[in-house]
Amino acid sequence: GQQLNQSPQSMFIQEGEDVSMNCTSSSIFNTWLWYKQEPGEGPVLLIALYKAGELTSNGRLTAQFGITRKDSFLNISASIPSDVGIYFCAGRGYGGATNKLIFGTGTLLAVQP
Amino acid sequence: EPEVTQTPSHQVTQMGQEVILRCVPISNHLYFYWYRQILGQKVEFLVSFYNNEISEKSEIFDDQFSVERPDGSNFTLKIRSTKLEDSAMYFCASKTDYTGELFFGEGSRLTVL
């Protein structure tokens, strides 16, 4: 089945640093999404990307949909302690009865104040 | 803001027991999903439901699992005879239409002893 590989698996950074994480797939996706999950909670949508090459920002977050449709990255600028959590990429392929999401393996982000 | 609500937040059960996890999707949403997340792992698709029937299911969703929309608001996941490996966080999600974005509930943690 479709798999999304996310890297790095974890990051431990100082407050104020910029962060970059990415997601790659062996197959093409028509939508890329980035979610954040905090302990004991469900994933919360951060950014959605719908077109190859699209670059979208949401506050300090910027994400891009790769030209090949097989990758995406998420950048967080000037990290703050509340950025702590697990970040998941998710992709949707073409078709399927309900256009389900496939999730990446996650990147754990820890921010030291 | 409308949200997906799930109950219970945590259930502990003995192996072999039946469990029902309940979800109230966002009221005008038409597509419903269950996802599972084993501790420390990625979020995995279980099943999608549309127009009062299962639309897609993963290989995880074997004959021990079933879903139901018994009325206009609830969406349930039943595990007929739980196994130790069913211990996980179960997330319900819903969306308005085929191309809409998924909104997740906060999850139900299932612990099978």
Side-chain angles (χ1 to χ4, degrees), chain A residues 33 37 50 96 98 100-101, chain B residues 33 35 37 48 56 98 101:
Chain A
L33 303 129
Q37 185 180 27
Y50 301 104
T98 50
K100 67 180 183 289
L101 278 184
Chain B
Y33 299 77
Y35 281 78
Q37 186 180 32
S48 58
E56 290 183 80
Y98 189 79
E101 297 316 332

Side-chain angles (χ1 to χ4, degrees), chain B residues 44-107:
Chain B
E44 300 175 288
F45 169 75
L46 290 179
V47 66
S48 58
F49 192 89
Y50 171 70
N51 205 25
N52 287 318
E53 60 183 17
I54 290 174
S55 301
E56 290 183 80
K57 58 184 181 179
S58 70
E59 58 274 12
I60 302 167
F61 194 87
D62 61 24
D63 57 9
Q64 291 301 307
F65 290 86
S66 61
V67 289
E68 201 176 39
R69 187 155 163 83
D71 53 42
S73 59
N74 290 284
F75 179 52
T76 62
L77 174 70
K78 183 195 287 188
I79 308 174
R80 214 178 327 272
S81 176
T82 50
K83 305 187 286 284
L84 293 176
E85 55 265 38
D86 293 328
S87 295
M89 197 78 162
Y90 288 81
F91 292 105
C92 175
S94 67
K95 63 181 184 180
T96 52
D97 54 37
Y98 189 79
T99 58
E101 297 316 332
L102 270 186
F103 289 82
F104 284 83
E106 294 199 337

